[in-house]
Amino acid sequence: MENQKTKYIRFKRFSKSYSFLFLFLILGSILLLLIIFSLIDMVVKHLVLNLDNFIDTLYDQYVIYTIILTFYASFIATIITIIFGTPLAYVIARYQFKGKAIIDSIINIPLMIPHSVAGLLVFSLFMRKGLIGAPFREIGIMFEDTILGIIVALLFVSMPIYINMVRDGFKSINPRLRRVAYSLGSNERSAFMRIMLPLNKRYIITGSVMCWARGISEFGAVILIAYYPMIAPVLVYYRFNTKGLEGSAPIALILIIICLLIFIGIYYLTKEQKPNKSGEKN
Amino acid sequence: MSLKSILSLKNVSADFGDFYIKNINLEIKEKEYFVILGPTGAGKTLLLEIIAGFHKLKEGQIFIMGKNISKIPPNERKIGFVYQDYSLFPHMNVENNISFGLEMQKLKRAEIRRRTSSMMDRLKINHLKNRYPITLSGGEQQKIALARALIINPEFLLLDEPFGALDPVSKKQAMKVVKEIHSNNNLTTIEVTHNQDEAILGDRISLIMNGEIVDTGPPKQIFNAPKNISNANFLGVENIISGEITKNIEGYAEVKTKNFMINCLSKFNSGKVTLFIRPENIVLSQSPFKSSLRNNIHSKVKELFLISKELIQISLENGLKVYITNNAKEDLDIKVGDDVIASFKATSISLKR
């Protein structure tokens, strides 16, 4: 009898302390399962059960071309973002000035508006008769339906991600480190190059990868200014419309696999090097 | 001191974030060990940062060796700065941390290496040279931060709560290191602290409260003769007694307080006064003994309170607070309710009208 009672109390205690955790695990895993199921579904239906079609797609030169173009255009857009976005992020993080909040909001506009709208903004500015497009046309540079147009569209939609990330990184560095550097004779430039930039390395790499990934996934903004040359997301949409799931899924699968491989690789490459037991790094 | 002033602040006011300092006037003399003492949030660190040039002044001027440097950027001031958290560059090893200041001077690589290694020898940290800051103890980190600041041969050294984050053993060693650096190099040093035990290291002390300097002088004067009740409270003068002078015979005044009479030195013949008596200046005994002490006040023990490993604070029924050592308490076997005599010198009392 006594034994029964203690067992019951123990169970109650157990269920009380774990019911909260169970609830959260269930709620949390629903979203996770959504992603996992969609991936498994795709892999099973279009890779495992339809291997011939997948291999045919791998040999489709046009598919390969669009994939390379996608990664290339996004890569160039990321490089441009790093060159121009890093100084901007530093200024916002480092200095206090009037209108800073406004600048912060402006940077985030491309994130908040629909991507088709972002594409429209880019198109209007860079089209043949656009404010920027027209003078460039004079010297023979076109954005409509060119790789340049793709790069501009990707730049527009993905730069906020990089700038926000890198700005937060700069903000997270203890300002005392910068001040000590000043007291040791370093000016603004060397404090940035020797202290702030290296300490923000991780945020810059992560921000770049996210910016790149964001570019690879863009569709809406790109089709407005450059339906051709086709980038992979546009090709997926085009093949879906013309050949259905059968025609578009293998391309999607290739994209998924390449993306995963690249991001896993970068994760391992940038993993923080910890000092060894004697406190030194190799 | 006849030495000339190396640093002077004239009517300096500034604010940054939640902190402010106002109307600061300071004269720091060459080779001096100067302590800025004050409670948390008084603006002590801001004052140091202002001297180093990290923030803009709202008002006033700063002079180094008579030269106005108020508008000179921090990288041209040649001031050594050590923060409480040491602020070592986490992405550089010890050697690169220390050599940073020399690299900024664009010296030749061999010269940098030579001077860095002689600095590491001097502070006995050569064995740490390839280590990264995160792997070092507090005391080690502080030595690196000191070495990094000293290598540029600064005009003077600013220390922000240098011993605040250290355990008692490292603290003692660190105090020795800092004192040695100060005396071996004749390096003017300004230390900021909230800790009174550290403040007595100083040749002179400035007391800072709510962003203003409220008193400046040698430690004895600051601690024994506080300027007012709020200073006295912060400085641990536990006995703040108000009374009235009843008579004065050749400078020895008799002051009538609520519970007892006190003999002290005063030039006043009458009037209401406040007396400050530090608890460690009072001797406690169980029976009368012959001595030159002018004040011997009988009372009973009301409360015993352990304030540190060695010290006990004893409150008496007449309101006096006395410190005795733990050993003395054991020897005298003092208990609540015991009759005791509190004795102190007339000269150990500070009187303010």
Side-chain angles (χ1 to χ4, degrees):
Chain A
M1 188 64 200
E2 190 58 44
N3 200 13
Q4 204 71 357
K5 207 176 162 186
T6 48
K7 258 187 188 164
Y8 175 70
I9 289 170
R10 220 182 272 163
F11 171 73
K12 266 207 105 168
R13 231 181 255 155
F14 175 84
S15 65
K16 243 187 202 161
S17 57
Y18 284 93
S19 58
F20 171 81
L21 191 61
F22 279 137
L23 178 67
F24 268 46
L25 274 177
I26 288 164
L27 290 177
S29 49
I30 285 173
L31 289 182
L32 206 58
L33 288 176
L34 184 66
I35 300 172
I36 293 168
F37 276 156
S38 67
L39 289 175
I40 291 174
D41 176 72
M42 179 73 56
V43 169
V44 170
K45 278 189 194 147
H46 300 283
L47 183 68
V48 181
L49 301 177
N50 205 347
L51 197 60
D52 291 346
N53 189 20
F54 181 77
I55 289 169
D56 282 349
T57 313
L58 272 181
Y59 284 103
D60 183 338
Q61 285 206 339
Y62 192 60
V63 169
I64 301 304
Y65 167 75
T66 60
I67 289 174
I68 291 171
L69 177 63
T70 308
F71 282 86
Y72 171 74
S74 185
F75 182 74
I76 299 297
T78 304
I79 298 290
I80 297 171
T81 308
I82 294 171
I83 294 170
F84 294 95
T86 311
L88 179 59
Y90 186 63
V91 169
I92 299 170
R94 157 85 173 81
Y95 297 98
Q96 299 297 326
F97 53 89
K98 269 187 195 148
K100 193 160 132 171
I102 298 170
I103 291 181
D104 254 333
S105 322
I106 293 173
I107 289 167
N108 283 306
I109 287 174
L111 279 186
M112 291 181 292
I113 57 175
H115 291 175
S116 53
V117 176
L120 215 58
L121 292 175
V122 171
F123 177 72
S124 167
L125 207 56
F126 285 88
M127 64 180 182
R128 256 165 271 239
K129 292 174 191 162
L131 212 56
I132 297 174
F136 269 98
R137 197 183 156 209
E138 293 295 312
I139 53 169
I141 296 171
M142 299 274 279
F143 293 92
E144 268 177 74
D145 289 328
T146 66
I147 295 178
L148 276 181
I150 298 172
I151 292 171
V152 171
L154 296 185
L155 182 69
F156 192 79
V157 294
S158 54
M159 67 177 166
I161 293 175
Y162 176 83
I163 296 169
N164 286 338
M165 186 99 206
V166 173
R167 179 203 55 207
D168 290 349
F170 281 129
K171 270 190 182 166
S172 71
I173 299 170
N174 189 343
R176 290 180 167 189
L177 297 174
R178 197 167 32 92
R179 294 187 193 136
V180 166
Y182 295 148
S183 80
L184 294 168
S186 92
N187 53 23
E188 284 288 342
R189 193 185 63 87
S190 49
F192 175 77
M193 298 302 289
R194 293 292 309 275
I195 309 297
M196 301 304 277
L197 202 57
L199 284 176
N200 204 15
K201 195 174 76 188
R202 265 188 87 75
Y203 280 89
I204 288 173
I205 292 171
T206 318
S208 309
V209 171
M210 283 170 65
C211 179
W212 191 29
R214 179 71 194 76
I216 292 166
S217 66
E218 185 53 35
F219 166 74
V222 175
I223 53 165
L224 279 136
I225 186 149
Y227 191 85
Y228 291 105
M230 263 189 200
I231 53 167
V234 177
L235 183 67
V236 170
Y237 178 73
Y238 169 77
R239 289 269 170 98
F240 180 72
N241 278 338
T242 53
K243 293 180 179 170
L245 198 56
E246 196 81 338
S248 56
I251 310 172
L253 259 176
I254 296 170
L255 275 176
I256 291 169
I257 292 166
I258 296 175
C259 285
L260 281 179
L261 286 179
I262 288 175
F263 298 135
I264 290 169
I266 287 172
Y267 173 79
Y268 277 104
L269 278 177
T270 60
K271 231 172 141 182
E272 184 94 70
Q273 209 189 7
K274 289 242 166 66
N276 61 23
K277 262 190 193 151
S278 61
E280 295 164 17
K281 287 185 190 176
N282 302 319
Chain B
M1 263 189 245
S2 60
L3 292 163
K4 60 181 173 180
S5 127
I6 185 166
L7 170 74
S8 64
L9 279 77
K10 294 215 164 39
N11 305 317
V12 169
S13 296
D15 50 50
F16 186 78
D18 298 333
F19 300 101
Y20 65 90
I21 50 171
K22 63 180 190 230
N23 206 18
I24 301 279
N25 284 291
L26 265 184
E27 291 280 339
I28 314 273
K29 288 161 188 150
E30 222 175 349
K31 300 172 188 169
E32 195 169 27
Y33 195 103
F34 195 89
V35 173
I36 295 165
L37 176 67
T40 311
K44 302 183 301 271
T45 301
L46 178 61
L47 178 55
L48 277 197
E49 291 186 332
I50 287 290
I51 295 171
F54 301 155
H55 308 295
K56 280 205 181 85
L57 299 182
K58 218 163 73 182
E59 275 168 53
Q61 283 115 38
I62 301 174
F63 299 86
I64 293 180
M65 311 286 259
K67 190 178 151 220
N68 188 343
I69 55 138
S70 313
K71 295 222 160 66
I72 288 182
N75 52 332
E76 290 165 28
R77 291 193 187 188
K78 272 194 96 180
I79 295 175
F81 200 109
V82 178
Y83 271 113
Q84 177 174 20
D85 60 6
Y86 319 120
S87 297
L88 296 176
F89 304 133
H91 59 303
M92 297 181 194
N93 66 17
V94 166
E95 190 175 13
N96 292 337
N97 261 283
I98 295 171
S99 66
F100 186 85
L102 298 178
E103 279 167 47
M104 291 299 112
Q105 295 172 16
K106 307 231 157 55
L107 297 179
K108 286 217 175 73
R109 194 167 272 189
E111 171 78 358
I112 292 177
R113 202 169 300 150
R114 191 184 59 76
R115 281 171 62 178
T116 306
S117 100
S118 91
M119 176 58 71
M120 289 192 293
D121 285 339
R122 236 175 81 193
L123 287 174
K124 302 185 188 74
I125 45 180
N126 225 321
H127 59 291
L128 303 173
K129 81 181 199 188
N130 293 322
R131 299 260 297 264
Y132 278 80
I134 194 172
T135 67
L136 302 173
S137 73
E140 287 168 339
Q141 287 192 36
Q142 190 190 45
K143 277 190 191 171
I144 315 302
L146 281 168
R148 183 177 65 176
L150 290 173
I151 207 156
I152 61 165
N153 288 322
E155 304 271 6
F156 49 88
L157 189 60
L158 303 180
L159 306 173
D160 175 29
E161 298 272 5
F163 314 113
L166 298 174
D167 62 85
V169 178
S170 321
K171 185 171 162 173
K172 247 177 245 166
Q173 287 167 352
M175 285 170 102
K176 220 177 125 210
V177 170
V178 167
K179 263 293 182 188
E180 272 169 15
I181 288 171
H182 170 250
S183 47
N184 293 350
N185 304 286
N186 285 324
L187 183 62
T188 314
T189 306
I190 305 174
E191 179 195 328
V192 143
T193 182
H194 66 272
N195 188 327
Q196 297 164 34
D197 298 337
E198 291 172 24
I200 51 167
L201 278 179
D203 298 320
R204 283 193 306 149
I205 297 173
S206 260
L207 193 57
I208 182 170
M209 303 259 225
N210 296 321
E212 285 182 277
I213 287 184
V214 290
D215 202 0
T216 299
K220 236 184 168 169
Q221 178 197 326
I222 296 287
F223 285 108
N224 288 334
K227 268 196 168 161
N228 53 41
I229 294 179
S230 83
N231 291 7
N233 269 323
F234 172 71
L235 292 166
V237 178
E238 298 281 354
N239 301 295
I240 300 169
I241 306 159
S242 49
E244 198 169 353
I245 297 178
T246 51
K247 63 179 176 192
N248 191 330
I249 302 161
E250 289 167 9
Y252 276 98
E254 228 176 68
V255 180
K256 186 179 181 313
T257 71
K258 198 174 139 219
N259 294 326
F260 42 80
M261 299 292 287
I262 289 178
N263 294 304
C264 63
L265 300 177
S266 173
K267 54 181 192 285
F268 305 120
N269 292 324
S270 64
K272 284 194 179 354
V273 291
T274 307
L275 304 176
F276 300 121
I277 312 165
R278 294 196 67 85
E280 63 268 27
N281 289 344
I282 301 177
V283 178
L284 211 61
S285 55
Q286 280 164 321
S287 49
F289 63 98
K290 253 192 175 161
S291 77
S292 62
L293 301 170
R294 294 289 285 255
N295 295 288
N296 299 286
I297 298 164
H298 290 257
S299 187
K300 278 185 198 300
V301 174
K302 191 176 153 201
E303 197 182 40
L304 296 142
F305 180 68
L306 197 67
I307 56 168
S308 76
K309 208 167 76 226
E310 299 96 12
L311 275 186
I312 291 174
Q313 177 185 292
I314 296 182
S315 304
L316 304 182
E317 280 185 348
N318 63 11
L320 280 177
K321 292 199 173 87
V322 184
Y323 288 168
I324 63 166
T325 62
N326 211 352
N327 287 340
K329 183 222 158 204
E330 302 280 313
D331 289 348
L332 295 172
D333 191 26
I334 290 177
K335 296 181 298 294
V336 173
D338 283 1
D339 287 311
V340 288
I341 304 161
S343 311
F344 44 95
K345 285 189 194 167
T347 51
S348 70
I349 302 163
S350 165
L351 179 144
K352 284 274 135 41
R353 199 129 79 152

